[in-house]
Amino acid sequence: MSQTAPESAVRRLADIQGRMARAAARIEGLAVPTLVAVSKTFDAEAITPLIAAGQRHFGENRVQEAMAKWPALKAANPDLVLHLIGPLQTNKAKDAVALFDVIESLDRDKLARVLAQEMQNQARPLPCYVQVNIGAEAQKAGVPVEDTLDFVARCRGEYGLEVIGLMAIPPLDAGPYFAKLADLARQAGLDGLSMGMSADFETAIMMGATQVRVGSALFGTR
Ligand SMILES: *Cc1c(COP(=O)(O)O)cnc(C)c1O
């Protein structure tokens, strides 16, 4: 697992919160979004100081890795909110529903069906984001842009999932893609916009992100 000096992580947290507030203040009427601290590859020792500093939302991209470190952290801090931001195999859906509080990688019908069943079985109706392949990149996950509105409608109607927003990992020059995702969310009648990472969270905020997912700028390089 990667290492990071705890005091520097807490200092970086304050710095990022300041940058987020300044980015939001640049546009009239924008609220400061939720910061999801992406802790993948970092162990509990690196995470604990941020929890102590008041950080509540965390993101992980692998179910297996999250199961190794989060049950204990969550037991000690019941108000933490854990986001799954990586690809989810249907055979891990049961574990994911048991551990996570928000699913951000909902991207296909089979997964929607299995998640809905698991949430019902466990009586844990978790909020979900539909992941959109906003740059139509072959190597990236997500629903094609042109299928997004129909897929969101099916997730809500047919599967009864609580879809609260859209999530994307856009191409490098992300600005136009953030705008496109915001527009798509408006069309779908969704308020949640999970976009912006270490390199571009300020741009994402100015384009209406309601949550940003920041890893390396917080914990250091992986
Ligand atoms: C790793 C990851 C992030 C954080 O990326 P950084 O560039 O380290 O901030 C955000 N979102 C997803 C889906 C990720 O996998």
Side-chain angles (χ1 to χ4, degrees):
M1 292 244 174
S2 312
Q3 297 294 312
T4 189
E7 64 280 8
S8 57
V10 170
R11 188 164 35 75
R12 290 192 196 109
L13 174 64
D15 175 64
I16 287 164
Q17 287 168 334
R19 287 169 60 190
M20 288 175 63
R22 286 191 293 279
R26 274 185 234 155
I27 312 267
E28 176 90 46
L30 273 192
V32 182
T34 301
L35 170 62
V36 177
V38 177
S39 47
K40 62 189 185 198
T41 80
F42 289 91
D43 59 18
E45 245 174 281
I47 296 167
T48 307
L50 291 184
I51 296 173
Q55 178 63 28
R56 283 298 170 267
H57 290 257
F58 289 86
E60 290 282 346
N61 69 336
R62 286 161 185 264
V63 175
Q64 207 83 358
E65 180 188 338
M67 284 173 73
K69 56 188 172 181
W70 283 99
L73 290 169
K74 289 186 83 178
N77 306 274
D79 59 339
L80 295 185
V81 184
L82 192 59
H83 299 239
L84 177 63
I85 60 170
L88 178 56
Q89 306 298 319
T90 48
N91 63 3
K92 300 259 173 67
K94 184 176 180 181
D95 290 335
V97 169
L99 178 63
F100 287 89
D101 304 293
V102 183
I103 307 288
E104 299 205 22
S105 45
L106 176 56
D107 64 355
R108 60 200 189 278
D109 283 87
K110 186 180 178 202
L111 180 60
R113 198 176 309 119
V114 172
L115 276 175
Q117 187 61 57
E118 270 311 326
M119 289 179 192
Q120 198 172 8
N121 292 352
Q122 300 183 35
R124 275 178 64 75
L126 306 182
C128 302
Y129 288 76
V130 165
Q131 183 173 356
V132 182
N133 190 351
I134 198 71
E137 296 172 282
Q139 78 281 13
K140 282 191 186 157
V143 182
V145 170
E146 61 273 20
D147 299 345
T148 301
L149 296 180
D150 282 348
F151 182 65
V152 168
R154 278 200 305 284
C155 285
R156 296 174 131 175
E158 200 172 312
Y159 308 118
L161 290 169
E162 189 197 345
V163 178
I164 60 167
L166 301 181
M167 182 273 248
I169 311 169
L172 268 187
D173 193 6
Y177 298 100
F178 290 152
K180 197 170 175 179
L181 192 72
D183 185 52
L184 205 50
R186 246 186 318 271
Q187 289 179 51
L190 294 170
D191 294 328
L193 264 181
S194 175
M195 59 185 195
M197 315 196 331
S198 290
D200 52 24
F201 67 86
E202 286 150 308
T203 308
I205 290 169
M206 289 189 285
M207 301 197 134
T210 59
Q211 74 164 50
V212 294
R213 310 178 307 269
V214 178
S216 51
L218 200 45
F219 289 97
T221 48
R222 291 184 291 271

